[in-house]
Amino acid sequence: MKNDRPARFAEQLKDLREEHGVTQTVLAREIGVSKGLISLWENGLREPTLSNLVALADYFDVPLDYLTGRTPD
C-alpha cells in the first residue's frame, strides 16, 4: 500500500488556506514559520513537525486527522 499521506496533507493545507482566503505569507507569519516552508509543505516537498501540525490545526480550527487527510471532515 502506497503511503500518500504527505500528498493528502499538501492538498488539505492548500485547500484550507485558499478556503480561508489566507496567503502563504500571512499563514507563515501567523504560525511562526517562513513563507518558503509553507510552499514546501503545499508542494509535498517537506513534512511539518508535530508542533507545526498542531499550530496549523489550531489556526484553521480543524482536527489533526482532517489536516493530515485521515478523515474527510
Side-chain angles (χ1 to χ4, degrees):
M1 180 171 114
K2 181 182 170 199
N3 183 356
D4 62 347
R5 283 193 190 133
R8 284 188 279 169
F9 165 74
E11 292 171 16
Q12 291 290 83
L13 176 58
K14 186 172 183 178
D15 288 348
L16 278 170
R17 184 179 58 74
E18 290 177 347
E19 286 170 14
H20 284 82
V22 177
T23 65
Q24 288 181 345
T25 301
V26 169
L27 178 58
R29 183 177 59 238
E30 291 293 320
I31 68 165
V33 300
S34 71
K35 178 208 173 284
L37 190 53
I38 300 291
S39 179
L40 289 171
W41 292 341
E42 287 187 1
N43 288 296
L45 300 174
R46 293 270 305 266
E47 292 183 32
T49 63
L50 179 57
S51 60
N52 285 332
L53 275 174
V54 170
L56 289 165
D58 287 348
Y59 180 82
F60 290 116
D61 195 27
V62 296
L64 284 173
D65 279 351
Y66 175 78
L67 186 61
T68 59
R70 290 174 49 101
T71 61
D73 49 354

